[in-house]
Structures are given as structure tokens and as C-alpha cells.
Amino acid sequence: MSAATSAPALTREGRVLRCRISTGRHGTLDGPAVAEVAEALLALDPAETGAVLVHGDGENFCTGGDVRAFAGAEDRYAYVHSLADTFHSMLRPLAASPVPTVAAVAGWAAGAGMSIALACDLAVGGTSTRMRPAYPGIGFSPDGGMTWTLPRLIGAARARRVLLTDEVLEAETLVELGLLASVVDDDRVADEAAAVAHRLAQGPTAALGRIRGLLADGWDRGLAEQLAAEADSIATCAAGPEGAEGLAAFGEKRRPQFH
């Protein structure tokens, strides 16, 4: 499937914003789609969007950029730098999303695809899912935040091993390391990831956004600062409409209806 015949970069299913980031059988990163997704993420409104689902449109989630285009560029420094800047314009709002993000990681997530999967809150994979840094294989260092996210997810020593040896990580290992939240049969990846996104989208959006913020900011805080931030956050939740509904539902012994 060519880029011209790919599914739209952005589609909406209720409160879930679906973002296609790659195209074709190999899952090549789709530059125009990345730019569209970046713009949508920057404008995301939690009042209408409760979760983001990131996916490819082929057998593989994403295997990175077009290596042949890298090789053919007249000014490789300028060309690759421009691509990385565009890619990062999507990664920043994806990582800072005010709502949960889910990746449907079918097949390979390599290079930029691995970076995107690591940036999402929850990644659903299949039994054949594989991740590989892939950058060293073409003599490159990573982009997409991989050198920042990976050591925070699996520890510095393991991250050095994975990155420096360009290790291929299979589904079982990915679950053990926490890089995949769950693994299902290959033909169920898309449906399971969508189901996860829809469940999150119907949850307490403001509270989930605050949880994401606390987790992200906690890396740079001491315990005392984090406790103060948690106290402010939980009080804000309690005083808001989601807290009111949650408490009412608890007292009435029913499921809360947040939206």
C-alpha cells in the first residue's frame, strides 16, 4: 500500500483520536501523517478526546524512516536533521498529552517506531511483536527520545545493552521489561488496543491526565515535592466534577459515569 492510498492520518471514534503514523507493508514512517498528527496533538481538547490510539496501517507498527531517502539526500546532515525536527514535533505533544496514549504495536517497532511505542503510556503487542533500536545498523544514533525514555523504563544498564548491541527484543521479553503492557494473538492487536483506548477514554479524563503529569514530573522532584504535588492534585480532583461523580457513584453503589 502506498502513501497515496493509506488510510487517513487522523480519524475519530467517539472520544478516541486514532493517529496513523506509518504506511505500507514495512511500516515506513509517514512524514505528512506525522505532521498532521503533531498538529492534532497540539490542539487536543480533553473535553472531546479521552484517549489517543497510535497505529500503523500495515503488518508492522513502524520500522522507521525511508533509509533509501537518507542515502540519496544531497546534504544528509540538513535532510536528516529536518526529518528529526519534524518527528520530534510529534513526539513532544505525544509525550505531554493531557490524556492517556495507547500504541497498537503489530509486527515490528524499530527505529522511530520503537521510539514512538516507548513514548506511549500503554503498548499492546502480538505474539510476533518485536522491537529493535535499529539505528546502529545504519550507523546512526537514535532520535525520538529513545535515549531518554528507554533508560527510564528499563534502567540505564539494560538500556546501554539494548542500544549499543542493537538488540532485538521479542514479545515475551518486552512484557517482562514493561515495554508492552499486554500481548494478544497477532490478529487481535488492533482490536485489543482499540478496546483499551476506549476504556480509558470513558474514564476520569482530568484525573488520568493528572496521573500522567505526576508520573512525568516525579523524575525531577524529591519525595517531599512529589507529596506536595500529590496533595494538590488529589484535592483538585476531589473538588472537580469527576470527583463528585465518583464519590456519588460509590455512595449509590453504581458504576461512575464520567462522560
Side-chain angles (χ1 to χ4, degrees), residues 175-198:
V175 172
E176 290 174 355
L177 293 175
L179 301 183
L180 287 179
S182 60
V183 171
V184 296
D185 291 340
D186 290 335
D187 60 359
R188 292 185 53 225
V189 172
D191 289 342
E192 179 63 19
V196 171
H198 281 282

Side-chain angles (χ1 to χ4, degrees), residues 121-143:
D121 294 319
L122 300 173
V124 177
T127 55
S128 297
T129 293
R130 305 287 184 272
M131 289 190 191
R132 178 188 177 189
Y135 295 96
I138 57 172
F140 283 19
S141 59
D143 63 356

Side-chain angles (χ1 to χ4, degrees), residues 9 20-21 29-39 86-87 89-90 116:
R20 178 187 60 76
I21 45 83
L29 191 67
D30 186 338
V34 165
E36 284 189 61
V37 170
E39 185 176 350
T86 300
F87 180 31
S89 74
M90 183 194 74
I116 294 168

